[in-house]
Amino acid sequence: MSHPLRIGIIFSGRGSNMKALLDHIQAKPDTYTLANLICNKPQAIGISVAKAQGFNTTIIDHTRFDTKTDFETEISNELSSANVDIICLAGFMRILSAEFVRKWDGRIINIHPSLLPAYKGLNTHQRAIDDGAQWHGCTVHYVVADMDAGEIITQTRVQVKKDDTAETLAERVLNVEHKTFCDGLDLAAIAYRENKRTKE
């Protein structure tokens, strides 16, 4: 029996996707264990959400560092010391440097609120509405140096309604994000184990 994969989660805000991942990890103790939970905002709502589930969060406040490199080095050291296998970016509102991504190549996954490669970046819901898109949704993908450009792991589609606003569409996309992220983690975990086996 292989050991549970050690998962690191990094978030910045209310932590709804983070909570979904925590629930998923707790439900599969033979598959996963939470190695580290990191937040870059000391006042983030998600910190208390995690605490309510019995998880402490490591605060690494980006505003306390002189450079982005120093900030990312601290995060990387924290992840390395926890022997993290896969990193999940669950609403982490900082763009990681190419150097950081290279160090953790193929081991960082993110969820993005669009059907990539459509609508990279911000304001995805309004952009989809403005374009008259019939379908919108979310994508779990590997993180690479170029923003929202990594290999797609899984996607879930949501139909855009004629009377949708950015807010109503965002809410429906969020409703499917949680399961999609957990499914994406499962697929990434399978790929990670297979890749590790081929290298042994």
Side-chain angles (χ1 to χ4, degrees):
M1 179 73 184
S2 54
H3 293 296
L5 288 183
R6 297 179 63 78
I7 307 301
I9 303 174
I10 313 179
F11 68 99
S12 297
R14 61 187 173 175
S16 71
N17 273 308
M18 174 268 290
K19 185 183 184 307
L21 289 169
L22 288 180
D23 290 342
H24 191 61
I25 290 166
Q26 286 182 296
K28 294 189 166 190
D30 293 336
T31 307
Y32 305 116
T33 185
L34 181 71
N36 216 322
L37 193 58
I38 297 172
C39 183
N40 66 307
K41 292 190 174 181
Q43 308 305 320
I45 295 170
I47 296 168
S48 57
V49 171
K51 194 168 187 178
Q53 284 191 249
F55 295 103
N56 290 323
T57 303
T58 300
I59 311 297
I60 303 179
D61 184 352
H62 64 276
T63 65
R64 292 181 176 272
F65 294 85
D66 292 333
T67 67
K68 182 175 183 173
T69 299
D70 291 344
F71 168 61
E72 290 186 345
T73 297
E74 183 72 19
I75 289 180
S76 195
N77 288 343
E78 190 71 32
L79 294 167
S80 294
S81 66
N83 295 314
V84 166
D85 294 306
I86 296 174
I87 303 164
C88 299
L89 304 182
F92 179 55
M93 303 308 291
R94 308 288 296 175
I95 295 174
L96 294 167
S97 68
E99 289 76 20
F100 185 96
V101 172
R102 267 196 296 272
K103 177 177 171 60
W104 296 92
D105 183 42
R107 296 167 62 186
I108 312 173
I109 66 173
N110 179 53
I111 190 157
H112 180 74
S114 80
L115 297 174
L116 291 174
Y119 310 121
K120 296 176 182 179
L122 301 174
N123 304 317
T124 62
H125 310 300
Q126 189 60 55
R127 287 157 64 197
I129 291 169
D130 291 346
D131 280 354
Q134 185 178 357
W135 295 98
H136 192 46
C138 60
T139 303
V140 180
H141 64 96
Y142 287 104
V143 175
V144 295
D146 293 335
M147 185 175 66
D148 301 329
E151 179 188 343
I152 291 169
I153 300 170
T154 188
Q155 296 180 313
T156 301
R157 295 198 310 173
V158 169
Q159 190 159 19
V160 182
K161 297 179 180 177
K162 285 191 171 72
D163 60 349
D164 261 329
T165 63
E167 291 73 28
T168 60
L169 185 54
E171 187 177 342
R172 287 210 316 289
V173 170
L174 186 63
N175 285 340
V176 300
E177 277 187 26
H178 300 157
K179 183 179 185 306
T180 306
F181 209 167
C182 294
D183 290 346
L185 174 57
D186 288 346
L187 291 168
I190 291 166
Y192 177 81
R193 288 192 192 280
E194 287 177 352
N195 189 42
K196 207 169 178 184
R197 268 197 296 272
T198 59
K199 289 181 177 178
E200 287 173 352

